Amino acid sequence: MTERLPELKKTSWMILFAGTLIFAISLFFWIIDFPGVRRTFIFKSSDSEILRVENRFEPIFPVQGKIRNYIDELLVGPLSEHCCSVFAKGTKVLSCFQRDQTLFVNLSPELLASDAENTDFKAQIELFKMNVMHNFPEIKKIELFIDGKVPFEKK
């Protein structure tokens, strides 16, 4: 003996169809207006030695790649006026690629445009590495180059 499911009335089908249509339309508009991936940016405060955090939304599938897009945004600097940029203004990414768990980043020589006597380049590089590794935990090591040369290399 088989059990039959009750048949739905015409109005029940219409309500089910309308609900499904409304859900599909709202899902479509949500996908179009999706803000992106939330990334954390850590900058040094301009009036003290503390670190400040900014959160920004970045595109899910940027043209230049997720990591390169993040580094470009990091080099643009903070949105807050109470924070300092990680590196000197005008610093750009010359190349950036990942091999296994190592990220290779080549930055422009504008990074060195700051006053060399008053700037702690090692602290800036460590802040850069901390930012990238915090947002991309799959990266375990960062090899940084400035205009193709390893910084602080002993000759």
Side-chain angles (χ1 to χ4, degrees):
M1 181 186 259
T2 61
E3 236 179 87
R4 290 188 56 200
L5 295 174
E7 291 187 25
L8 294 175
K9 295 181 183 176
K10 193 177 217 179
T11 55
S12 298
W13 278 111
M14 289 174 33
I15 291 172
L16 185 63
F17 177 73
T20 305
L21 183 64
I22 290 170
F23 173 75
I25 291 170
S26 59
L27 180 66
F28 174 74
F29 283 110
W30 179 77
I31 289 172
I32 287 175
D33 197 35
F34 190 70
V37 178
R38 184 174 173 226
R39 301 273 186 224
T40 303
F41 294 82
I42 304 168
F43 297 102
K44 187 178 150 218
S45 177
S46 59
D47 51 358
S48 67
E49 291 296 317
I50 64 171
L51 299 177
R52 296 185 183 242
V53 176
E54 285 184 8
N55 292 307
R56 299 181 199 169
F57 285 98
E58 292 191 340
I60 298 173
F61 303 109
V63 175
Q64 67 271 42
K66 295 175 185 178
I67 298 174
R68 171 72 183 260
N69 186 61
Y70 176 80
I71 293 173
D72 287 340
E73 282 293 315
L74 182 63
L75 294 178
V76 166
L79 298 175
S80 170
E81 58 193 41
H82 301 290
C83 297
C84 300
S85 295
V86 176
F87 296 122
K89 293 286 185 197
T91 303
K92 294 177 182 65
V93 180
L94 300 177
S95 65
C96 174
F97 66 93
Q98 181 180 354
R99 185 173 293 145
D100 297 325
Q101 296 179 335
T102 303
L103 180 69
F104 297 89
V105 182
N106 188 14
L107 299 176
S108 65
E110 286 83 9
L111 180 144
L112 303 171
S114 313
D115 181 16
E117 292 180 13
N118 298 328
T119 305
D120 186 2
F121 290 110
K122 287 186 180 183
Q124 287 180 332
I125 290 171
E126 288 305 313
L127 182 60
F128 173 81
K129 289 179 179 181
M130 179 174 59
N131 269 290
V132 174
M133 292 172 112
H134 175 78
N135 285 280
F136 301 96
E138 69 272 12
I139 295 175
K140 303 298 180 202
K141 183 179 179 187
I142 297 176
E143 292 289 332
L144 187 71
F145 302 92
I146 301 171
D147 200 25
K149 298 174 183 89
V150 178
F152 312 114
E153 185 178 50
K154 294 180 182 179
K155 293 182 181 180

